[in-house]
Amino acid sequence: MNQLIDRREALRKTALLMGAAVSASALTGILQGCKATPELTYTPVFFNADQATLVSEVADIIIPRTDTPGAKDAGVPGFIDTMLKDCYAKEDQDNFLAGLASFDEEAKTAYGDSFIYCKPEQQLEFVTK
């Protein structure tokens, strides 16, 4: 049976096979460099994967899951993606993407990393600003 493993598991198994060839400090550095990207709940048609993930995370902060579905659960990110592709003029699409890129750059300046890799409390603080 073909079994998929994630990058961290592959690195762990490689380190075990190589024994002392990979030092503990080097392995720690490698593993800390692996960042988990939030999973998309739809297939983007307008956004690239990073843009779709950013829009999804922001939408879910604005409309969080409580006792009712959140934005991701309700399909809001996919709706935004489709609306931009099908209903917006090229200039408006470009303006949206430029604003999205600017938003992410500001998060990098404020927190040292892309918005999607910030801690949840940092994401909430940034969206609230």
Side-chain angles (χ1 to χ4, degrees):
M1 180 188 321
N2 186 9
Q3 184 180 20
L4 296 174
I5 59 174
D6 67 339
R7 187 182 324 186
R8 289 176 190 234
E9 186 62 27
L11 288 171
R12 284 186 194 109
K13 288 184 178 190
T14 300
L16 286 173
L17 290 172
M18 294 174 55
V22 177
S23 71
S25 61
L27 185 59
T28 300
I30 291 169
L31 290 176
Q32 287 178 346
C34 298
K35 297 178 181 179
T37 302
E39 214 170 294
L40 281 175
T41 57
Y42 76 101
T43 302
V45 293
F46 174 73
F47 297 126
N48 65 35
D50 288 340
Q51 293 164 338
T53 302
L54 176 57
V55 168
S56 294
E57 294 306 302
V58 171
D60 227 39
I61 289 170
I62 294 170
I63 306 171
R65 179 185 297 153
T66 56
D67 56 339
T68 61
K72 289 181 192 177
D73 301 322
V76 171
F79 176 78
I80 294 168
D81 186 66
T82 301
M83 290 296 293
L84 279 162
K85 179 185 175 291
D86 293 343
C87 301
Y88 280 65
K90 173 79 168 113
E91 182 180 351
D92 294 327
Q93 291 173 337
D94 292 343
N95 285 337
F96 187 93
L97 293 177
L100 199 59
S102 177
F103 177 88
D104 201 39
E105 283 302 315
E106 288 180 35
K108 287 177 187 173
T109 299
Y111 301 108
D113 212 343
S114 179
F115 180 84
I116 62 174
Y117 297 122
C118 290
K119 296 175 184 171
E121 58 273 9
Q122 292 172 324
Q123 290 177 338
L124 178 60
E125 176 184 7
F126 193 70
V127 169
T128 302
K129 285 182 190 177

